[in-house]
Amino acid sequence: MNLDELTPNLLESALRALQQAETPPMDLLHLAVLAQTESATRVEQSLALEALLTRLVERALTAQRQAEGLHAAPAHTAPNRAALLQTLAADFGCGNATLESWSALYYRYLSSIPFSVDELAGAAHVALQQYRRRLKQGLAYLAVEVSKAELAARRQQLDSAGLHLPLPEYGRLFGIETHLRRLTKQIDAAETSCFLSVEGLGGIGKTALARALAQRVLERGAVQDVLWVSARQVWLSDNGAMTPVQDAAHSTEDIVTRLTLQAGMRDLAGAPLAEKLERLRRVARESIYLIVVDNLETLADAAQLLPALASLSGKSHFVLTSRRTLAQFPYISVFDVPELTLQDSQALLNDELQRRGRRSAAQPMPIEPIYAAIGGLPLALKLVAAQLSRLPLDTVLADLRAGERRLHDHLYTYIYYHTWQLLDPPAQHLLLAMLAIAPEGEDVGFLQEMSALNDAEFEQALTQLLDYSLLEIGDTLVAPRYRLHRLTITFLQTSVLSHWHNV
């Protein structure tokens, strides 16, 4: 989070939540100063935040008491309620506004015995309004101290591995542990460079999985550092707002330049591409990096980048994320990210609803009708959770089925529009025709007969739909059956793609 967002009001929300054994604001749980690992649970993150805030307040309170010649032992050592209130009264009896502010904050939110504001104001012998002013000032002081601690932690990270990893765009990940084990095993088993392509439909969690993998291999010491370059051109928040990414990479030369800078070769800033690649080859032979290129499909010259990356092969490993398959490159191992299971989708939906203040742990939101409409696509589930935080379930489901605007046309555009434009007419025709097939899918013969495409057109269309992860494959390799993802069906049925086709 930006340090400008670390406000007194945000900290007060956190203190209130911690006091009531609730989850504090998510942004605070990912502060660098908490030094949490990727696998830390929500409870562990909350406890770490509580320990940080308590430590900062007690340290400042102790320092102010020492300056006034008061007993400087931690306030929580007082034996009972009366003793605690007496210590508060002593703090307010010195005429030191800073001491009063830290004391007001401590006894309101961090004392081992809970007190009301009225009770604290009475013990301090000040008007209620005056006590609230001191409390507000204490929160302002705490915001400054947390900002200082966070800034110091971030500066310390500048000299440590993982600097170039992007901040996570999630609080928790669901259903990925099996994937992480498989991908980590592939990297561990590689005798030289390992090339992995993490592929799938937009919003299925490719970037999140790649980041979790990078964090995992870094923590295990499997690589010395991670270099990460993103070619994502558009960002879609879980509130449905779609905005251009200002600093996205656009070309092979841009990618290579950023990699050289992250590897510490700033002297190559104006050097030709060939010189940068040669230096990177030397580094890749001598050190073990994990090099990640995110959203590869957005690069106009991706076909040029892949051979360039392959030329760097040595000890380092590569992870690429792409909506379009890279299976045609023999040195790349493809991992298709599956959708979440019904159980994991339920867990993600409940987690998002709790994060948004719609507490549903005791009475979970029914996932079956939602899953039937959109499947287990994490981004779509987050957008649905955003809607459910303020709209009834029946309304959200009706909007999904009718293609209404409440669920954001931006989601349609983000996942499908660019891909739809890249499809040739036979592929567009086959995609729309597949609305008529059974949910469990059909074989190649049935699809071609139903589509009325000739052999060449059908082969071209089927290949394109598979390349862009628009089809799911079931049954065996001998007799595969092809079907549409639930979310694709929902959008096709709402005439979204038909509308784009006719524009």
Side-chain angles (χ1 to χ4, degrees):
M1 65 182 298
N2 190 312
L3 291 184
D4 291 340
E5 299 170 354
L6 219 164
T7 63
N9 287 341
L10 182 65
L11 290 175
E12 185 170 29
S13 297
L15 288 167
R16 285 176 175 170
L18 291 168
Q19 193 177 52
Q20 298 170 18
E22 297 178 350
T23 302
M26 289 301 302
D27 286 343
L28 292 175
L29 296 184
H30 298 290
L31 290 173
V33 69
L34 300 183
Q36 294 291 300
T37 65
E38 195 73 18
S39 59
T41 66
R42 192 67 56 80
V43 172
E44 290 169 336
Q45 292 171 330
S46 297
L47 290 174
L49 177 62
E50 184 175 20
L52 170 68
L53 299 179
T54 301
R55 183 171 68 252
L56 292 176
V57 173
E58 286 188 350
R59 184 175 67 188
L61 182 55
T62 297
Q64 290 297 318
R65 285 176 173 167
Q66 287 175 333
E68 295 296 338
L70 297 176
H71 181 57
H76 61 260
T77 60
N80 52 47
R81 175 179 290 269
L84 287 171
L85 293 176
Q86 186 176 0
T87 306
L88 170 69
D91 291 338
F92 272 75
C94 297
N96 181 334
T98 303
L99 171 58
E100 292 175 11
S101 298
W102 284 113
S103 184
L105 179 61
Y106 179 86
Y107 287 101
R108 178 65 184 93
Y109 290 116
L110 298 172
S111 171
S112 58
I113 297 176
F115 296 103
S116 68
V117 177
D118 288 341
E119 189 176 7
L120 292 171
H125 305 295
V126 296
L128 181 60
Q129 185 177 6
Q130 175 69 3
Y131 191 91
R132 292 190 185 279
R133 278 198 293 267
R134 290 291 183 254
L135 180 59
K136 183 178 179 180
Q137 186 60 49
L139 289 165
Y141 286 150
L142 180 58
V144 171
E145 293 304 313
V146 174
S147 297
K148 287 179 182 178
E150 175 66 7
L151 183 59
R154 293 183 184 182
R155 285 175 175 169
Q156 186 175 4
Q157 286 182 345
L158 292 176
D159 297 324
S160 61
L163 168 67
H164 306 295
L165 269 177
L167 293 174
E169 298 176 354
Y170 48 82
R172 291 179 61 192
L173 291 176
F174 298 88
I176 70 159
E177 188 56 39
T178 300
H179 312 330
L180 281 178
R181 285 198 298 267
R182 173 179 166 180
L183 295 172
T184 302
K185 186 176 180 179
Q186 286 186 256
I187 291 176
D188 289 343
E191 296 181 359
T192 55
S193 288
C194 174
F195 276 81
L196 299 174
S197 178
V198 178
E199 301 177 356
L201 196 66
I204 205 164
K206 300 182 295 295
T207 300
L209 178 57
R211 192 199 180 283
L213 174 62
Q215 187 73 43
R216 175 72 58 89
V217 298
L218 191 60
E219 289 177 355
R220 292 175 62 253
V223 298
Q224 294 168 241
D225 202 354
V226 176
L227 309 182
W228 183 295
V229 179
S230 176
R232 178 172 16 177
Q233 310 296 317
V234 175
W235 181 68
L236 182 68
S237 73
D238 55 8
N239 284 320
M242 189 166 62
T243 56
V245 176
Q246 299 300 321
D247 193 37
H250 291 83
S251 66
T252 292
E253 183 155 10
D254 196 2
I255 295 282
V256 172
T257 297
R258 295 177 190 225
L259 291 176
T260 58
L261 290 174
Q262 291 183 21
M265 294 178 279
R266 298 189 175 276
D267 57 306
L268 293 178
L273 177 61
E275 185 177 346
K276 292 174 182 174
L277 283 170
E278 180 55 37
R279 287 278 294 277
L280 278 174
R281 285 189 196 100
R282 280 183 250 161
V283 170
R285 292 191 194 106
E286 297 167 359
S287 305
I288 304 178
Y289 283 105
L290 181 66
I291 299 173
V292 183
V293 180
D294 189 31
N295 285 82
L296 182 71
E297 79 283 346
T298 64
L299 294 175
D301 60 350
Q304 178 186 354
L305 174 64
L306 291 169
L309 293 179
S311 72
L312 305 179
S313 58
K315 296 181 180 179
S316 296
H317 307 294
F318 299 82
V319 173
L320 315 167
T321 73
S322 177
R323 296 190 186 189
R324 188 171 189 179
T325 187
L326 304 178
Q328 67 271 30
F329 296 92
Y331 52 88
I332 294 180
S333 177
V334 170
F335 179 80
D336 287 311
V337 182
E339 66 176 339
L340 296 179
T341 64
L342 181 69
Q343 181 179 2
D344 288 330
S345 298
Q346 178 78 75
L348 187 152
L349 186 68
N350 288 343
D351 186 73
E352 278 294 303
L353 289 172
Q354 287 183 355
R355 183 180 72 82
R356 293 176 174 278
R358 177 80 176 268
R359 308 191 66 80
S360 60
Q363 190 175 11
M365 184 71 67
I367 189 64
E368 288 80 5
I370 298 170
Y371 197 76
I374 63 175
L377 206 72
L379 179 60
L381 287 166
K382 288 184 177 183
L383 282 168
V384 167
Q387 298 295 313
L388 290 173
S389 65
R390 56 182 181 272
L391 293 172
L393 174 61
D394 290 344
T395 301
V396 174
L397 289 173
D399 291 347
L400 272 171
R401 295 172 183 134
E404 295 293 338
R405 295 297 185 262
R406 283 199 183 106
L407 210 58
H408 305 290
D409 280 342
H410 284 164
L411 176 63
Y412 304 3
T413 303
Y414 182 83
I415 295 177
Y416 292 104
Y417 182 55
H418 180 67
T419 301
W420 174 258
Q421 289 182 312
L422 293 176
L423 294 178
D424 294 328
Q428 293 178 338
H429 173 81
L430 178 59
L431 186 66
L432 292 170
M434 287 184 69
L435 274 175
I437 69 173
E440 61 272 15
E442 297 289 355
D443 60 23
V444 170
F446 182 89
L447 292 181
Q448 183 171 359
E449 182 178 354
M450 178 197 63
S451 68
L453 296 172
N454 62 42
D455 291 350
E457 289 176 330
F458 178 77
E459 183 177 353
Q460 173 194 9
L462 184 64
T463 299
Q464 276 201 321
L465 296 184
L466 290 171
D467 282 352
Y468 284 104
S469 303
L470 290 173
L471 298 183
E472 295 180 340
I473 308 176
D475 291 349
T476 66
L477 289 174
V478 177
R481 299 175 71 88
Y482 300 92
R483 60 180 179 269
L484 296 176
H485 186 276
R486 293 175 183 83
L487 189 63
T488 310
I489 294 172
T490 297
F491 289 152
L492 289 172
Q493 288 174 336
T494 58
S495 301
V496 174
L497 293 183
S498 298
H499 168 72
W500 285 333
H501 180 65
N502 294 323
V503 170

